[in-house]
Structures are given as structure tokens and as C-alpha cells.
Amino acid sequence: MNFTQWNTHTIGFGPGEVTKRFRRGHHEECAREWRALTLLAEYAPGTAPTPLRADLDAEEPVVVMSRLNGETLRGRPLREELVQAFSEAVERIHTALPADVLAEVAPRPWQVATALESVRAGVAELRPRMAPHVARVADEALNRLSYFPVRAPVSQVLGAGDGNLANYLWDGSGVLRVDFEDFGRSDRAFELAEIVEHVGSWVEHPLDVDLFLKGFSLTSAESERLVGCRRLLALGWLLLLCRDAEGVRRNPPGTVDRQAERLAALLD
């Protein structure tokens, strides 16, 4: 997730295909989307839309892909069958590429270092306007994160980015992924944290985080890093929701307080 991201594209739907047209200046996002789709079509077919054609050099670059049938995971109760299928889909994407191919994939643009910079700046900006109990949690989280290592010797995976459950579709037999503009090489802990700490994973129908994470064989180093990544992204979401509360509300009243409680629990 990018704590300051805005909409980068428009979507057009045809009978059997989807056209994703990127706004001017977003050629890198378009290129990442196309690269992800072509790699997954080769190494993990059936996990994402099939790439059909692209114009990466246009003033407004475009990617055309097959249209998937399915219902988004966001906004619906996630029974055990769905959560397990969700874990399997994420794991399949993470491990889709052979090591030598993955090594040639550029790192994803939004990782721990950039997230840390963003939350430090965000707390400094928003703290004077936060409720006292929210500011206390933000300060404590930032203090803990000052000891969090930016880099760690953990497994590299293929990262899809943006953990919004709206990017995952249930087609009746499995879970498929759409939206790869933040795709790139990443570490597993950060990718999993993006999913479980996304506001869409708890504000409506909460994801069973423990059940979801059981689908991954994490090393001790990855498990430890996951805790830090969850705190980092939970603080990022607290800042986003504070900004949301000051403008056009996109989430229910009280979401900031609920996020502050979630972050406090992660700090414990």
C-alpha cells in the first residue's frame, strides 16, 4: 500500500476482456502490470487474468487482459473454505517463479524503507490534530519501529502489492488475483502484513488472520519480521484513516478509534 496513493487508472469491461487504462505519467505502473501478468501466465497460469495485448508507450498506456468470473472477497463473510483457498492463492503467487527468474524481477516500489519514511512524516504532520489517545498509540508505535530493521535475511517472493481483499476473486473453486501495478520482488512478511492489516480485512467482515497465516510455512525470522511489518502497516493505516476522517469519509464512523485499538493490541 502507498499511504499517499491516488487513483492511477480507469477500467473498461467488455464481454470477455478488461481494459486497464493508466493516466498520464503512470507508465511504470502499467509496465509492472503487464510484466506480472505475462510472468504469471507462463509460470502460474490460472492465478490471474491472461494478458491479451498492451500499449506501454502510449500517452495513456493500456493493458488488456481476460475478464475473470468471480466475486470479490471483500465485503462478504469469509468461511473457512474461502480463507484456506485465499492462503493457497497468495502462496502460489509468492512461489510462482523459479529463483533465477525472480532474481531478475525488480523490487516492488513500496517496501519497508519507504513505509517507514512515510509514517514518520505522517505522525509529525497529523499528531497535533489527533485525539490524545490516538496520538499516544501513534507515538508508541513510532518508538517501537525505530528499532525495526529495514532489511533482514528473509526469503524473497513475488509480491503482488496492495493487500485489498477487493483484488481477490472467488470463482467457486479457487481464489484469483487482479491488480498488479505494485508488483515486484518483495519479502513474504511484508506481503502478508499488507493483506492482514489492510482496512478491508477487518472493517466489514473480519478475516480470520490466524487461519489465513496457517497457510504459510514461515521461518522464525519471517515470523518475527511479520510482527514488525504488521505494526508498521497498522500505523500507516491509522494515519490514512485520520486523514480520511478530516475529509470525505470512506469508512464507518469510529474507524480511527478501532484502528488505534488494533495497533495498540499489536504493540502488546
Side-chain angles (χ1 to χ4, degrees):
M1 62 173 292
N2 183 330
F3 302 137
T4 58
Q5 184 170 313
W6 58 90
N7 189 24
T8 61
H9 59 270
T10 58
I11 297 290
F13 294 95
E17 61 184 40
V18 173
T19 300
K20 189 170 184 178
R21 186 174 300 278
F22 289 79
R23 302 187 190 283
R24 297 178 184 179
H26 291 280
H27 289 76
E28 290 183 3
E29 290 89 339
C30 185
R32 285 195 293 266
E33 181 97 25
W34 181 249
R35 174 76 166 148
L37 293 176
T38 54
L39 284 172
L40 290 173
E42 180 177 358
Y43 292 101
T47 57
T50 301
L52 299 178
R53 56 190 180 276
D55 187 349
L56 305 182
D57 298 321
E59 188 172 352
E60 292 187 341
V62 62
V63 169
V64 182
M65 65 199 82
S66 64
R67 182 169 180 171
L68 301 179
N69 295 317
E71 298 179 5
T72 177
L73 295 189
R74 182 165 180 173
R76 58 182 296 169
L78 297 178
R79 60 187 186 274
E80 183 174 348
E81 175 191 15
L82 285 181
V83 176
Q84 291 175 339
F86 184 22
S87 296
E88 291 170 2
V90 173
E91 173 69 4
R92 191 177 178 202
I93 290 173
H94 282 180
T95 59
L97 303 187
D100 59 331
V101 178
L102 179 62
E104 297 298 318
V105 174
R108 56 166 294 191
W110 181 258
Q111 295 197 49
V112 169
T114 43
L116 275 170
E117 291 176 5
S118 182
V119 297
R120 288 181 183 130
V123 171
E125 173 196 349
L126 294 174
R127 193 185 186 286
R129 308 198 296 274
M130 290 178 177
H133 67 287
V134 175
R136 283 193 296 271
V137 174
D139 288 343
E140 176 61 19
L142 202 56
N143 180 58
R144 298 283 190 91
L145 289 169
S146 65
Y147 304 100
F148 183 53
V150 172
R151 295 176 179 82
V154 292
S155 302
Q156 295 288 293
V157 299
L158 185 65
D162 192 351
N164 193 345
L165 268 63
N167 292 328
Y168 293 90
L169 306 178
W170 169 251
D171 69 355
S173 60
V175 172
L176 311 171
R177 164 81 196 212
V178 297
D179 193 349
F180 292 93
E181 63 187 74
D182 291 327
F183 142 94
R185 183 160 38 86
S186 184
D187 73 75
R188 188 189 306 272
F190 190 74
E191 292 299 309
L192 295 178
E194 271 216 310
I195 292 172
V196 300
E197 292 309 319
H198 195 286
V199 68
S201 293
W202 62 267
V203 75
E204 298 156 318
H205 298 283
L207 171 69
D208 185 332
V209 171
D210 290 338
L211 178 59
F212 173 73
L213 292 176
K214 281 182 180 178
F216 305 90
S217 298
L218 302 180
T219 65
S220 58
E222 286 174 328
S223 295
E224 182 178 355
R225 186 168 176 80
L226 177 59
V227 175
C229 289
R230 291 186 65 181
R231 290 170 174 170
L232 170 61
L233 292 170
L235 176 56
W237 272 107
L238 180 63
L239 299 173
L240 271 179
L241 293 168
C242 284
R243 289 191 176 96
D244 183 53
E246 294 178 342
V248 178
R249 291 186 182 272
R250 292 169 291 182
N251 294 287
T255 304
V256 171
D257 289 336
R258 292 174 64 193
Q259 180 65 14
E261 292 171 2
R262 285 178 55 84
L263 178 54
L266 286 171
L267 296 175
D268 288 341

